[in-house]
Amino acid sequence: MSADPLCFCLYKRSLLIENRKMALHSARGKLISVIGDEDTCVGFLLGGVGEINKNRHPNFMVVDKNTPVSEVEDCFRRFVKRDDIDIILINQNCAELIRHVIDAHTSPVPAVLEIPSKDHPYDASKDSILRRARGMFNPEDLN
């Protein structure tokens, strides 16, 4: 008789442990990555966006005037390949440097969003993702 309550307690404990593991696993969502100037990256990092994965790769890149275009391209391609990133935020002036790479990205995930920076205001005419989205709709359908 004493074995039954013990078995039940052990079974109940194992269920609790399994539920905690599942809760931790589901709590880990996808990341937002940032490619931009120092002010943009710092702002998002202060907002809690910064993360370093198990391979010690961050989900952000600070771009300045001395950053080679090839480094920005490589970083964007790495972010696209990572399965833990669902959104890539990129300053529009940085996106202009790698426009051909961004235009080649056609998958909906990760979503690429061009954002303004402190020194460069947003220009909708330069945003290739927005142009692509507008092309999906006939203006007459929106009325």
Side-chain angles (χ1 to χ4, degrees), residues 5-142:
L6 179 62
C7 290
F8 180 72
C9 286
L10 291 174
Y11 174 72
K12 193 173 178 182
R13 186 168 186 257
S14 69
L15 284 178
L16 285 172
I17 291 171
E18 195 62 35
N19 284 341
R20 284 186 188 149
K21 286 181 185 176
M22 288 173 45
L24 285 174
H25 181 68
S26 65
R28 293 182 187 222
K30 299 291 185 157
L31 300 177
I32 296 174
S33 64
V34 182
I35 300 173
D37 62 1
E38 185 175 18
D39 292 334
T40 301
C41 289
V42 167
F44 279 101
L45 291 174
L46 288 172
V49 169
E51 188 82 28
I52 295 179
N53 68 5
K54 61 184 175 189
N55 297 326
R56 308 288 301 153
H57 295 127
N59 65 328
F60 61 92
M61 178 185 185
V62 177
V63 179
D64 62 17
K65 62 183 179 183
N66 298 324
T67 305
V69 175
S70 61
E71 274 187 41
V72 181
E73 287 178 3
D74 292 343
C75 179
F76 180 83
R77 287 186 179 112
R78 274 195 316 272
F79 287 167
V80 166
K81 289 179 185 173
R82 282 178 55 173
D83 61 351
D84 61 339
I85 293 177
D86 269 359
I87 299 173
I88 300 174
L89 301 177
I90 183 167
N91 281 144
Q92 193 170 43
N93 59 316
C94 297
E96 284 298 310
L97 299 173
I98 60 166
R99 180 64 60 200
H100 60 284
V101 180
I102 292 175
D103 288 344
H105 174 67
T106 57
S107 175
V109 177
V112 179
L113 301 174
E114 295 182 22
I115 59 174
S117 67
K118 187 171 86 171
D119 299 326
H120 300 89
Y122 179 76
D123 183 1
S125 66
K126 293 180 179 178
D127 191 337
S128 62
I129 306 297
L130 181 62
R131 281 196 309 260
R132 203 178 322 167
R134 282 185 183 155
M136 294 173 61
F137 299 103
N138 185 356
E140 295 168 357
D141 293 339
L142 298 176

